[in-house]
Amino acid sequence: MFTSVLMIEKALTSADVEFVTTLHGEERVSFEVLLQPRGEQADRLLRAIDDVALGELDDAVREGETPEGEEALSVGQRALEVSLAALRTSGSEARGRLIEDHPLDALKSLVEEVGADEVIVLTDPHYVEEFFHRDWASRARHKVGVPVLKLFSHSKA
């Protein structure tokens, strides 16, 4: 069985689930999902700049409303549960956990722990971080020792 570690920041959409579960054709895939709520990984200014770059001015204005702290963890836990259920419904094995701090350290540990074959980073575009190679995928490529695939979410969850 192929093992993929899937790093996400929000609940997977049905299009996301279909995309990641069909990447390897008919081969069975087991997913280890790491979710860090968006409010925990980037400050409001960077998120607002990303929203402006995407032409989503209304979202940029609402960045101050993004849940953080305990509220983000509660939203994140629900997003994780929804994502795991969707992956399992598609026929894949799936386990997951929330990340509160140091996502790349958690990623590296998990890759080693489960003997992962690859890492898939599935997020909305984060243009500022990507430009400076500070996004999860860019940083993970130098840390985890397995192939890292960067994908963009298909739609807002």
Side-chain angles (χ1 to χ4, degrees), residues 84-157:
L84 293 174
L87 288 167
R88 291 175 185 140
T89 298
S90 76
S92 298
E93 291 182 19
R95 290 184 302 269
R97 60 183 92 156
L98 284 181
I99 308 169
E100 294 184 41
D101 297 309
H102 311 293
L104 294 175
D105 293 339
L107 174 64
K108 182 178 181 189
S109 295
L110 184 59
V111 165
E112 292 170 356
E113 176 186 322
V114 300
D117 297 296
E118 71 179 355
V119 170
I120 300 170
V121 177
L122 180 70
T123 64
D124 287 333
H126 298 295
Y127 293 115
V128 175
E129 287 101 335
E130 290 164 20
F131 180 80
F132 291 106
H133 303 286
R134 300 302 302 155
D135 59 298
W136 284 343
S138 296
R139 292 173 22 208
R141 286 185 181 107
H142 303 287
K143 193 164 189 146
V144 298
V146 298
V148 176
L149 179 62
K150 171 138 176 103
L151 302 173
F152 293 121
S153 299
H154 280 78
S155 62
K156 297 240 181 221

Side-chain angles (χ1 to χ4, degrees), residues 20-66:
V20 298
T21 58
T22 60
L23 282 173
H24 299 288
E26 298 298 316
E27 187 168 4
R28 290 191 36 88
V29 179
S30 171
F31 290 97
E32 297 287 337
V33 181
L34 294 176
L35 185 142
Q36 184 179 36
R38 186 173 184 203
E40 294 295 309
Q41 80 186 43
D43 67 36
R44 288 182 180 146
L45 176 60
L46 290 178
R47 293 191 316 253
I49 291 170
D50 285 337
D51 291 335
V52 170
L54 289 168
E56 298 172 353
L57 299 178
D58 290 341
D59 289 346
V61 171
R62 287 193 295 271
E63 280 301 339
E65 300 169 9
T66 299

